[in-house]
Amino acid sequence: LGALMFGVLSIAAKQFSFRCGADREAVHEAGPRDLPGGYAVWGIAPMACCGTIFVGMFVSGPHVPAQSMRLEAVNKLLQESFLPAANLRIPDYIPEDRGDCEALWNYRVSQGEASAALWNESAIYQDCVGHSPLTHVMNRKVDATALWATGLNTLQLKDIHLEEPVDLSADSQLWKMTFSGMFRDMNIWTKVMLSAWGETPWLDDYMCCDKNFNFTVEVRMPCHEGRGFQRARLKFLHVDKPELKHSTCSDETDSSFCMEWVYGKADSVDPNLNEALGDFLSGKTGQLLMKTSDSTIVDLLEYVSSKLTDVVRLNTGDWCPHTLF
């Protein structure tokens, strides 16, 4: 509007200058002060008009409502968008195997699943993470070691729920997230020595777990203004009690057979076995590790807390979220 008015002003000034003098070269080009009303009408008035229109539209124009998200909407978004995307990426970010990788490699060589000629660190640790057994339980009667686990990348998340802090405006907060999932095909190699059996292993085979090994876990993430999210803590609300079993098959020329031994639930054999498994999964013993896109192995709980802090800092400028927007 202002540009249009000044355009009209310029044309009028030029026409006025041609009409006002017989000698065109002697007459200076007219400006706003030469028009009727002078600067007050042709200079100040257009600017005042534009300013009034702008202020009026800013005050009385339509307002865009704030795009706030309630907790219910956030949880719906997690269910409908995050879960499917996470389940698609889990095989890329969680190692397939975990534990004593060299022992696992040697076992696969003995079964013809790998070639001894390819023995090198790159091959051994391509899909496996770890240099020691997962966990070790020992008492006067039983010495049990979980040497390695396979199928960790068969994890599938089934449900997720976010719980916000009591006071979002506080400088110290506790965020909670509950999610459930299952391992579709996780197998743990277990070596069990019994005092009554001497040096002969009572069991040295894959044992555990059910095809669908279910769990429910609560993730607690403390956040302090000025420091951000601290290392997440896990609390398992439910873990399937793994059934200890293994099978052996024989295929000889005169006979072939398969036998399966079922020893019942882990806690019925030894309560410490189930407790040790829960401690490992929750990170009380060892670390929960993940593989990033550049194949770097990182602590999963530290990684999640660090990335959450980065996201909050980039979007709000604060260390902790103080609103759900």
Side-chain angles (χ1 to χ4, degrees), residues 99-207:
D100 190 339
C101 296
E102 287 195 21
L104 173 58
W105 175 267
N106 292 332
Y107 168 76
R108 287 176 171 167
V109 170
S110 69
Q111 299 298 307
E113 300 174 4
S115 172
L118 299 177
W119 194 98
N120 59 69
E121 287 198 357
S122 177
I124 292 174
Y125 297 101
Q126 180 177 359
D127 299 311
C128 183
V129 174
H131 298 83
S132 59
L134 296 175
T135 188
H136 181 212
V137 178
M138 183 173 63
N139 57 34
R140 290 182 301 175
K141 297 182 179 181
V142 179
D143 185 349
T145 305
L147 292 174
W148 64 76
T150 63
L152 297 179
N153 60 350
T154 64
L155 171 66
Q156 182 177 12
L157 301 179
K158 299 190 298 183
D159 185 60
I160 188 168
H161 177 80
L162 177 67
E163 180 181 340
E164 65 183 3
V166 177
D167 184 6
L168 275 173
S169 62
D171 289 339
S172 294
Q173 307 170 353
L174 179 61
W175 290 81
K176 298 179 182 179
M177 182 179 292
T178 303
F179 66 88
S180 61
M182 67 177 179
F183 291 96
R184 298 192 304 273
D185 189 17
M186 181 177 68
N187 298 280
I188 301 177
W189 186 281
T190 308
K191 182 177 181 180
V192 180
M193 305 291 293
L194 299 179
S195 58
W197 284 53
E199 297 299 320
T200 302
W202 175 70
L203 174 68
D204 194 9
D205 198 353
Y206 277 117
M207 177 180 285

Side-chain angles (χ1 to χ4, degrees), residues 13-310:
K14 287 184 178 293
Q15 291 178 348
F16 180 76
S17 66
F18 287 131
R19 291 198 304 265
C20 285
D23 188 359
R24 293 172 56 184
E25 302 210 356
V27 180
H28 66 278
E29 186 173 334
R33 64 176 181 272
D34 299 309
L35 296 174
Y39 273 117
V41 175
W42 297 101
I44 299 176
M47 291 187 289
C49 180
C50 292
T52 302
I53 294 174
F54 175 79
V55 173
M57 292 182 66
F58 180 80
V59 174
S60 60
H63 294 278
V64 178
Q67 299 296 315
S68 60
M69 294 184 67
R70 297 184 178 274
L71 186 61
E72 295 80 3
V74 173
N75 282 319
K76 183 179 180 182
L77 182 65
L78 290 172
Q79 289 280 351
E80 297 180 353
S81 299
F82 172 78
L83 276 185
N87 285 327
L88 286 175
R89 302 301 299 274
I90 280 175
D92 299 326
Y93 286 91
I94 294 184
E96 179 181 349
D97 311 313
R98 171 86 163 90
D100 190 339
C101 296
E102 287 195 21
L104 173 58
W105 175 267
N106 292 332
Y107 168 76
R108 287 176 171 167
V109 170
S110 69
Q111 299 298 307
E113 300 174 4
S115 172
L118 299 177
W119 194 98
N120 59 69
E121 287 198 357
S122 177
I124 292 174
Y125 297 101
Q126 180 177 359
D127 299 311
C128 183
V129 174
H131 298 83
S132 59
L134 296 175
T135 188
H136 181 212
V137 178
M138 183 173 63
N139 57 34
R140 290 182 301 175
K141 297 182 179 181
V142 179
D143 185 349
T145 305
L147 292 174
W148 64 76
T150 63
L152 297 179
N153 60 350
T154 64
L155 171 66
Q156 182 177 12
L157 301 179
K158 299 190 298 183
D159 185 60
I160 188 168
H161 177 80
L162 177 67
E163 180 181 340
E164 65 183 3
V166 177
D167 184 6
L168 275 173
S169 62
D171 289 339
S172 294
Q173 307 170 353
L174 179 61
W175 290 81
K176 298 179 182 179
M177 182 179 292
T178 303
F179 66 88
S180 61
M182 67 177 179
F183 291 96
R184 298 192 304 273
D185 189 17
M186 181 177 68
N187 298 280
I188 301 177
W189 186 281
T190 308
K191 182 177 181 180
V192 180
M193 305 291 293
L194 299 179
S195 58
W197 284 53
E199 297 299 320
T200 302
W202 175 70
L203 174 68
D204 194 9
D205 198 353
Y206 277 117
M207 177 180 285
C208 168
C209 296
D210 300 328
K211 282 298 182 181
N212 290 336
F213 184 74
N214 299 277
F215 64 89
T216 302
V217 64
E218 179 185 74
V219 183
R220 297 188 174 198
M221 296 171 289
C223 189
H224 305 287
E225 195 61 45
R227 289 185 292 167
F229 282 95
Q230 307 304 296
R231 187 177 189 271
R233 301 193 303 268
L234 302 187
K235 177 183 178 183
F236 274 80
L237 306 180
H238 166 77
V239 179
D240 278 355
K241 296 177 180 178
E243 187 174 68
L244 304 182
K245 60 183 179 180
H246 77 287
S247 59
T248 300
C249 293
S250 175
D251 189 10
E252 299 179 357
T253 55
D254 56 343
S255 65
S256 62
F257 63 90
C258 286
M259 299 180 63
E260 182 176 76
W261 287 264
V262 179
Y263 304 98
K265 300 296 183 181
D267 59 345
S268 65
V269 177
D270 188 334
N272 294 326
L273 290 176
N274 200 55
E275 182 180 351
L277 179 61
D279 286 347
F280 171 73
L281 290 174
S282 63
K284 291 181 181 178
T285 59
Q287 293 177 309
L288 293 177
L289 303 177
M290 67 171 285
K291 181 170 60 176
T292 62
S293 56
D294 61 357
S295 298
T296 303
I297 304 299
V298 298
D299 183 330
L300 174 60
L301 302 182
E302 289 280 7
Y303 183 83
V304 169
S305 299
S306 173
K307 291 303 178 184
L308 278 175
T309 300
D310 292 343

